[in-house]
Structure formats: C-alpha cells, structure tokens
C-alpha cells in the first residue's frame, strides 16, 4: 500500500474560458471545489487575439483531489447558462513544494497611497511617512498586488484624508489587508468578516503580526449574518472586495448597514460589470462618488446622502 505521504499535497484544476463565460465558469469552479479552493485566479490566456473574444485561464488550487464527475457537471451547467460549449478542463497534482514559501519570495513590496505593504522576507527600508504593514502570502486572498486590493487601498487613503470614520466594516476580509490598513492608519476599531473560517483566522494572525489585535475583530459568517455586525451598525465606512454577483446580492444588506453620509467601497468587479453593480446599489438608495480603474478592474466609492 502506498504511503499517504506519497499523495500530492495540492491539486490544480484549470481551463480556458471565453470572455463572455468567464464569470459563470469561475463561479462554477469555486462551487465544484467546495468548501472552497485554497486559491482561485484568472489570467489573460496566451494566444488571445485582438480580432477575437478575449480568452482567460481560470485556475484553482485545492488541498483535496477534485471529483471529476462533480467538476464536469457543475461546469457544464454553468457553460450552458452562459451559452457556450463546455471547455476542456484539466486536473493535475502539484509537486510537493512549499507553495506559500514560493509565493512569499515572489511577493514584492506594494505601495498604494499612504500604505506600504511587505512580506516578512523584506529586508529593505520602508519609505518615510508611510503606514507600513507586514503581510505574507497565505491561504486567504489579499496581498495588495491585485488591482482590486490596490484600488481599495487607494480608496481608503482618499477617504481617510477627507472624513473621520469611527465605525468600519470589512466584508469578505480575506487576509484582512483592508481591515489592517484602516486600523493602522486611523487607529479605529474594525469588524472583519468572511465566509471562510480560514480567512477569519488569517486576518486575526495578520492583525497580531502588526500589533493590531485590539483593533481588528474577525469573524466567520455568510454575508452580513455575523451578530457583531448588527450590534455595531450603522457604519461610517464599509469595505467589500468580493465579486460582482455577491456584491449585487448584498446590495440591500450593505446599504442598510451604512450610516447617512457614510461611504461604501466596492471592488472585485471588472470594469464592464460596473453598470450592473451600480444599478443594484442605486435601487438601494446609494450614489456613486468615484470609480478607480486599474487595468480591467474597478473600485467604486458610493455614498448615502446625509
């Protein structure tokens, strides 16, 4: 009998998706690997042509071997709803390497507005006058390198310069990077929540590493169902860096938690998804103050009039 230690530690599932179906197939990939992949990413696929629809490589890393039948079924349903044929998908074991250590080596310092974020391997000198955070690549999303996270950091930098926020909520906190940024810059308490308990644990660990445990409280829970959120509402500043579809689904809930004159920062959406997201929040009584566009991604700053 083979030793269990010989089994692959991680598995990769990937496929190439057309632009029109990438959102549906990305969601299906995440669903098929429930309770959730360790990471989920999309990259513009090599070979995309200017005269053809853009192609994306969707890739998920899982700690368990994906069930091929489940993966095929969920992807087929999503492809059918998107009006495309089921693309070829691939499942393969990854070599037994310390992928988090590799990510740390590849994670360069990030500068966004007043914030300077680096891994524990960084041995340089942070720029003078910056709010410095230490954050290693980990199993939860948010290192500052992605356009959505950078867009949120730039929005936070701008909003903290313009108003005082004493009640802050971070929905879908991932690594906790946005919670840490607000807590470190404004020295105010922040409630962070994420559907994934690993993300909540990761946020608490990162808060401890930056001496912010007293200010950042992280909880695991779906949407805004965490009791601590209702107890602390309404909020002056709400951050939600997730995906377009859940942002639309949460429009009423997030809007209802926002204090008059408060600001809501939304990210995790492609620029072409802005109109759909804004329609949901406009119906909930919010208006857009600004869009921050980085590459193909947008970060929205919304407000409820006082």
């Amino acid at each position: 009998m083979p030793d269990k230690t010989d089994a692959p530690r991680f598995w990769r599932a990937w496929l190439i998706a057309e632009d029109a179906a990438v959102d549906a197939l990305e969601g299906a990939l995440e669903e098929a690997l429930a309770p959730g992949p360790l990471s989920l990413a999309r990259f513009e696929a090599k070979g995309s042509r200017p005269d053809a629809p853009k192609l994306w490589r969707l890739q998920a890393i899982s700690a368990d071997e994906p069930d091929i039948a489940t993966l095929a079924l969920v992807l087929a349903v999503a492809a059918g709803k998107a009006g495309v044929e089921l693309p070829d998908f691939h499942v393969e074991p990854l070599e037994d390497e310390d992928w988090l250590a590799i990510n740390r080596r590849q994670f360069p310092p990030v500068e966004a507005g007043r914030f300077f974020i680096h891994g524990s391997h960084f041995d340089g000198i942070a720029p003078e006058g910056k709010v410095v955070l230490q954050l290693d690549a980990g199993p939860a999303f948010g290192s500052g390198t992605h356009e959505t996270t950078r867009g949120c950091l730039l929005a936070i930098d701008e909003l903290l310069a313009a108003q005082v926020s004493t009640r802050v909520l971070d929905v879908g906190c991932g690594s906790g990077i946005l919670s840490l940024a607000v807590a470190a810059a404004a020295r105010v308490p922040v409630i962070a929540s994420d559907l994934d308990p690993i993300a909540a644990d990761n946020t608490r660990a990162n808060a401890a590493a930056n001496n912010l445990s007293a200010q950042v409280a992280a909880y695991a829970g779906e949407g805004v169902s965490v009791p601590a959120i209702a107890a602390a509402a309404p909020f002056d500043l709400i951050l939600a860096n997730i995906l377009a579809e859940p942002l639309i689904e949460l429009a009423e809930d997030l809007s209802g938690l926002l204090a008059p004159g408060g600001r809501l920062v939304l990210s995790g959406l492609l620029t072409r998804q802005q109109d759909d997201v804004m329609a949901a929040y406009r119906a909930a009584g919010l208006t857009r103050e600004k869009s921050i566009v980085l590459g193909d991604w947008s970060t929205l700053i919304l407000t409820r009039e006082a």
Side-chain angles (χ1 to χ4, degrees):
M1 175 181 288
D3 192 324
K4 278 191 174 182
T5 58
D6 293 334
R9 290 180 58 199
F10 299 104
W11 292 79
R12 174 168 54 207
W14 65 274
L15 57 90
I16 302 298
E18 295 180 9
D19 195 50
V22 66
D23 293 330
L25 291 171
E26 185 176 61
L29 192 59
E30 184 172 20
E31 178 186 345
L33 297 177
L38 296 176
S39 69
L40 180 63
R42 67 171 76 175
F43 312 93
E44 187 170 351
K46 294 179 179 178
S48 291
R49 304 196 316 270
D51 59 340
K54 184 180 291 188
L55 298 176
W56 297 88
R57 177 187 171 102
L58 298 179
Q59 175 175 290
I61 306 297
S62 174
D64 301 310
E65 182 177 3
D67 183 83
I68 300 296
T70 299
L71 188 58
L73 177 61
V74 175
L75 289 174
V77 171
K81 289 181 178 179
V84 300
E85 293 185 4
L86 174 65
D88 292 334
F89 63 91
H90 308 267
V91 174
E92 56 200 22
L94 294 178
E95 294 181 14
D96 189 9
E97 297 188 55
D98 188 344
W99 291 97
L100 294 185
I102 293 172
N103 282 341
R104 291 187 186 105
R105 290 197 299 269
Q106 295 176 344
F107 170 33
V110 173
E111 197 168 341
R114 74 183 70 185
F115 301 106
F116 183 83
I117 300 144
H118 65 81
S120 58
H121 60 281
F122 176 70
D123 58 3
I125 299 175
E128 188 175 351
K130 295 291 184 180
V131 175
V132 180
L133 296 171
Q134 177 181 304
L135 196 75
D136 283 320
F141 178 81
S143 65
T145 58
H146 195 277
E147 289 89 343
T148 58
T149 311
R150 288 189 63 245
C152 287
L153 291 170
L154 291 172
I156 291 170
D157 179 54
E158 182 174 321
L159 291 175
L160 292 184
Q163 69 179 59
V164 176
S165 297
T166 57
R167 295 164 296 176
V168 182
L169 171 64
D170 180 8
V171 178
C173 58
S175 68
I177 184 172
L178 304 183
S179 297
L180 270 59
V182 175
R187 293 295 165 182
V188 296
V190 181
I191 293 178
S193 71
D194 200 288
L195 177 65
D196 186 355
I198 293 177
D201 290 342
N202 201 206
T203 294
R204 285 189 285 269
N206 286 328
N210 288 274
N211 298 315
L212 293 169
S213 294
Q215 292 164 261
V216 177
Y219 304 90
E222 184 173 359
V224 294
S225 63
V226 174
I229 293 177
F235 296 93
D236 308 308
L237 175 61
I238 300 177
L239 311 165
N241 182 14
I242 41 182
L243 295 170
E245 289 186 12
L247 284 177
I248 291 172
E249 293 173 3
L250 287 170
E252 289 289 342
D253 290 337
L254 292 179
S255 300
L257 292 170
L258 191 65
R263 301 297 189 275
L264 173 58
V265 176
L266 305 179
S267 197
L269 59 143
L270 292 162
T271 301
R272 59 181 170 78
Q273 297 171 322
Q274 279 190 102
D275 290 345
D276 291 338
V277 172
M278 267 312 308
Y281 284 85
R282 194 175 295 113
L286 302 189
T287 57
R288 175 166 53 185
E289 281 193 351
K290 185 174 183 178
S291 296
I292 298 173
V293 178
L294 299 174
D296 293 327
W297 301 89
S298 289
T299 298
L300 306 178
I301 301 176
L302 312 182
T303 187
R304 179 188 302 285
E305 292 185 5

